[in-house]
Amino acid sequence: MENDSLIETESCRAFYAHWNALRVGDAMPHTREFLDLADPTLILFTTILEVTASGSIIRFMGTALVELWGSDHTNTIFGAGLPEPAIDTLRANCDFIATHPCGMAELAEFTNPSGRPFFMESIMLPLAVDEGRPLRLCSFSHSLDEVDAYEDKGSKYRTKRRVGWMDVGS
């Protein structure tokens, strides 16, 4: 896969391979199949977003992410609490991915409550929906560092280290 060079972790590669395996031809995987055929080892680190005019709403948040961030953000705006330039960029990226045959791979730095930095790799990909339904995305995030769900609970986004756009076809 040509996008593999953008992805560092085996878990993110596995997520991308799973997403690709659900495609029929060049079509994006449908949200329904994505959920019905979810890999139980990957869904723990998955978020599903509904793209709206006011921002992307988290419609599903895997339990490993809930444990890491210390709360379930389901039904909240994705990235709420980020500074204004960052939330604007996030909103624009989500809108672009939802309306173009592309995805995004990102390496971001976070800081835990005691100030220790750690890195998370994330990939975000489009999902197909039934006509008339809001556009959807899936996102998978996994730490490159050892993360302690208790110590790192409530960690905060610090900065992006790398962003790469993924061509996923039509």
Side-chain angles (χ1 to χ4, degrees):
M1 286 181 245
E2 63 191 43
N3 290 314
D4 272 356
S5 64
L6 297 172
I7 304 170
E8 291 184 34
T9 61
E10 286 302 317
S11 58
C12 282
R13 279 195 186 102
F15 182 82
Y16 182 55
H18 176 70
W19 179 87
N20 265 311
L22 296 174
R23 297 177 79 171
V24 177
D26 286 340
M28 301 303 130
H30 196 283
T31 303
R32 186 172 31 259
E33 280 77 31
F34 183 82
L35 289 170
D36 288 349
L37 302 171
D39 180 322
T41 62
L42 300 174
I43 201 76
L44 300 171
F45 299 92
T46 300
T47 304
I48 295 180
L49 309 171
E50 183 176 284
V51 181
T52 70
S54 59
S56 295
I57 301 168
I58 298 171
R59 293 300 186 200
F60 172 84
M61 186 173 182
T63 55
L65 297 175
V66 171
E67 288 175 10
L68 175 63
W69 304 124
S71 62
D72 187 348
H73 297 280
T74 301
N75 295 322
T76 65
I77 298 291
F78 184 57
L82 288 175
E84 202 58 43
I87 192 73
D88 291 342
T89 300
L90 181 61
R91 182 175 292 136
N93 288 344
C94 289
D95 289 347
F96 191 82
I97 293 167
T99 57
H100 294 80
C102 68
M104 186 176 72
E106 173 185 82
L107 180 65
E109 183 177 341
F110 291 81
T111 305
N112 80 357
S114 67
R116 181 182 62 79
F118 64 93
F119 295 90
M120 297 277 291
E121 181 174 46
S122 300
I123 59 174
M124 186 178 288
L125 298 161
L127 292 171
V129 294
D130 292 334
E131 191 172 331
R133 302 287 302 159
L135 299 175
R136 297 222 172 184
L137 307 173
C138 59
S139 175
F140 181 85
S141 302
H142 206 260
S143 179
L144 276 67
D145 303 300
E146 192 66 35
V147 176
D148 181 296
Y150 178 75
E151 179 188 343
D152 294 328
K153 193 175 289 190
S155 295
K156 302 290 185 208
Y157 171 82
R158 187 167 171 194
T159 187
K160 288 181 185 173
R161 292 293 182 191
R162 172 187 44 79
V163 174
W165 288 97
M166 304 166 69
D167 180 358
V168 296
S170 56

